[in-house]
Amino acid sequence: MGWKDLMKNVTDKATSVAETAQAKFEEQKQLSAIKKEEQNKKMEEMNERVTEYEQELLQNILSGFSGAPCIEVEDNILDFTKDYFEKLLLPANSVSASKITMYPYSDKIQKKAQKALREYDDTETPVFQFEGNKGEFILMTPTKLYIAVAFPENQTFVANVAVDLQQVSQLGFVSTEEGYQVVCNGVELFSADNVSEFDRITIEEYVRRLEEKDFEITETQIDEVIKKKIGDNILRIIRQYVFDDELLIYFAWGMDNITAKDFVVCTNKQILMLDREMLGATKNVKQFYYEDITSMSTDQKTSGWLEFALTAAFKLCNITIYVSGAQEKIQTLYTYEAERVIRVYQEYRRSIKQDERNARQVVVQQSAPAEDDVFTKLEKLNKLKEAGILTEEEFDEKKAELLAQM
């Protein structure tokens, strides 16, 4: 075979291989297009079924409406929710394990809602959100209740509906063997397993208060809720350092040590810092009465880049307490926990100052009648002198005695 024939043979084979490859590519392309078309069709069918399920779910919820809304939102809903978050939800709460997010910390609720809810009105401020399993949740704004639930046929799809609060006659959180069942107008929405006792107490109490319009949170109520959350073992330790008439106003866990459980307690009289071993033995206790604290501040000072990165990422900080020239630290709290400790201190410190001012005013007011009484007697003496009953010398003598009482 000559050179030309050899080259032609090679070229023909190369052409044949290229044509075969091109044919297979075209075939694969067509198969991919068919497969994609089938997938799109299935997706459209699934979306249609999800839409039908959403309509059915919404209809069931509306059908269960009794005619009277259980929550009639007042103008002060945001102020009350902020107050509730600080005084009843935040104390002794396990932030990382909580399924509740509440105003004023609504940023992450907004982001999740914008992504998961088609009908979400992002001009409204989220009031609270409660999460279930597999991305399910309920979200309440001042006008609506948004519901996101897993589609029963395929739980990778999420169905969501929006219900006007005026058409919600029941919003319940029911304990079951599997966990916690969220119910609206008698319709079971989703389950939430591994719900902490913290969340169970706070979400049920929050909804109850909204339903009953019970917006006043007293120190005694705060004390009762904190005691339920922290349990008897921690309470026994605290009772060693507080008087019987003291009320627990705030409690936060420290996170600076893996082998020890630190915590800080604010009562209506003092701040108590405890460094506790995991087995329950207290090894370090510090007490600061509010009238003895000169100031408090937060800081994010860290000893290395890794610790600094963790502190910044999880929004952690320390509290420094200044007492008679000395400094003490409460180690590593979440920033909003540390800020709450400082606000509690400021509130009671201000109250103490006000009580001192009131006491001084009472003393001044009590002394005023004595002066008024002296002037009254002087007037009477003067009238007696003018009437000739007292001589000038007798008048001067009595006058000197009265003036000496001032």
Side-chain angles (χ1 to χ4, degrees):
M1 179 182 296
W3 173 255
K4 290 183 179 181
D5 293 334
L6 179 61
M7 289 302 297
K8 184 177 181 306
N9 189 32
V10 171
T11 301
D12 291 344
K13 286 184 178 181
T15 301
S16 177
V17 170
E19 290 175 349
T20 300
Q22 182 65 29
K24 288 183 178 181
F25 173 76
E26 294 295 334
E27 181 182 359
Q28 188 64 39
K29 186 177 179 181
Q30 291 177 0
L31 291 173
S32 297
I34 293 172
K35 187 175 181 180
K36 185 176 181 179
E37 185 178 351
E38 290 175 349
Q39 289 175 340
N40 289 338
K41 186 176 180 180
K42 288 181 179 179
M43 183 68 71
E44 290 176 3
E45 291 175 352
M46 186 62 70
N47 286 333
E48 289 177 0
R49 285 154 69 182
V50 171
T51 301
E52 291 175 359
Y53 175 74
E54 290 173 340
Q55 294 171 350
E56 180 183 354
L57 177 62
L58 179 59
Q59 186 57 45
N60 289 339
I61 292 173
L62 297 179
S63 297
F65 178 56
S66 67
C70 65
I71 299 174
E72 295 184 7
V73 174
E74 305 284 337
D75 293 337
N76 65 343
I77 181 64
L78 294 180
D79 290 336
F80 164 69
T81 302
K82 180 177 182 294
D83 201 37
Y84 185 90
F85 174 87
E86 290 190 341
K87 294 179 178 180
L88 295 181
L89 188 151
L90 188 58
N93 191 36
S94 176
V95 178
S96 60
S98 179
K99 294 180 178 291
I100 304 172
T101 308
M102 191 170 284
Y103 179 85
Y105 296 94
S106 303
D107 291 346
K108 66 177 183 178
I109 301 180
Q110 284 273 24
K111 293 176 182 178
K112 186 171 184 177
Q114 290 167 351
K115 182 178 180 180
L117 302 172
R118 291 190 303 277
E119 299 182 26
Y120 179 67
D121 181 1
D122 58 8
T123 63
E124 287 197 294
T125 302
V127 178
F128 84 92
Q129 173 188 287
F130 182 82
E131 299 179 1
N133 306 327
K134 303 171 183 176
E136 299 164 313
F137 63 91
I138 58 170
L139 186 162
M140 194 183 89
T141 71
T143 65
K144 292 186 181 296
L145 182 69
Y146 294 93
I147 301 166
V149 297
F151 182 46
E153 295 181 26
N154 186 336
Q155 296 192 353
T156 60
F157 288 80
V158 176
N160 60 81
V161 298
V163 184
D164 195 306
L165 275 183
Q166 293 300 309
Q167 295 178 300
V168 176
S169 55
Q170 181 220 9
L171 181 61
F173 301 84
V174 182
S175 296
T176 66
E177 293 181 358
E178 292 76 21
Y180 222 17
Q181 187 71 42
V182 181
V183 181
C184 178
N185 290 0
V187 179
E188 296 181 355
L189 302 177
F190 59 82
S191 295
D193 57 15
N194 299 323
V195 174
S196 68
E197 186 70 4
F198 311 126
D199 282 355
R200 186 192 68 78
I201 292 170
T202 50
I203 195 64
E204 290 180 353
E205 176 69 7
Y206 178 72
V207 173
R208 181 197 69 77
R209 285 176 175 271
L210 290 182
E211 292 176 348
E212 299 178 8
K213 296 184 179 180
D214 181 6
F215 300 135
E216 183 181 356
I217 302 173
T218 66
E219 290 182 346
T220 300
Q221 292 169 343
I222 298 171
D223 177 76
E224 291 173 353
V225 169
I226 291 177
K227 287 175 179 176
K228 287 180 183 178
K229 288 184 178 183
I230 63 178
D232 292 339
N233 291 336
I234 301 298
L235 188 56
R236 275 194 292 270
I237 296 174
I238 294 174
R239 279 177 172 159
Q240 298 176 45
Y241 307 99
V242 302
F243 292 103
D244 292 339
D245 63 342
E246 285 187 69
L247 299 175
L248 306 187
I249 303 301
Y250 187 65
F251 182 103
W253 298 106
M255 297 169 293
D256 62 321
N257 195 323
I258 296 176
T259 61
K261 196 73 170 177
D262 298 346
F263 54 87
V264 56
V265 182
C266 298
T267 76
N268 56 338
K269 298 180 183 297
Q270 64 173 305
I271 294 178
L272 184 68
M273 297 165 54
L274 298 97
D275 184 4
R276 185 178 68 92
E277 296 286 356
M278 292 187 70
L279 296 178
T282 301
K283 66 179 182 181
N284 193 13
V285 179
K286 296 177 183 177
Q287 293 176 269
F288 307 97
Y289 284 90
Y290 295 122
E291 59 263 34
D292 298 328
I293 300 174
T294 55
S295 66
M296 295 178 64
S297 64
T298 62
D299 69 80
Q300 292 187 341
K301 294 180 180 178
T302 53
S303 58
W305 283 105
L306 178 58
E307 190 176 351
F308 175 81
L310 290 173
T311 299
F314 292 100
K315 297 183 179 179
L316 307 177
C317 68
N318 305 324
I319 298 178
T320 302
I321 300 178
Y322 299 89
V323 183
S324 302
Q327 297 182 19
E328 297 290 347
K329 282 190 181 293
I330 301 174
Q331 298 289 339
T332 321
L333 301 173
Y334 284 98
T335 300
Y336 47 79
E337 291 180 318
E339 291 171 349
R340 179 59 186 156
V341 171
I342 291 178
R343 280 195 297 274
V344 170
Y345 154 70
Q346 291 171 339
E347 289 169 8
Y348 283 98
R349 180 68 172 173
R350 188 182 303 114
S351 177
I352 291 170
K353 292 286 187 182
Q354 186 61 48
D355 289 344
E356 291 174 351
R357 284 193 292 270
N358 292 341
R360 287 195 295 270
Q361 290 175 359
V362 169
V363 171
V364 172
Q365 290 171 357
Q366 288 175 343
S367 64
E371 294 181 0
D372 293 341
D373 189 51
V374 170
F375 288 123
T376 301
K377 290 180 179 180
L378 284 171
E379 289 178 0
K380 290 180 179 180
L381 285 174
N382 191 52
K383 289 180 180 179
L384 291 173
K385 184 187 74 170
E386 291 175 352
I389 298 174
L390 292 178
T391 65
E392 189 72 33
E393 291 179 356
E394 290 173 332
F395 171 77
D396 290 339
E397 182 181 350
K398 293 291 183 182
K399 176 182 176 181
E401 291 177 0
L402 290 174
L403 292 175
Q405 296 177 14
M406 295 181 63

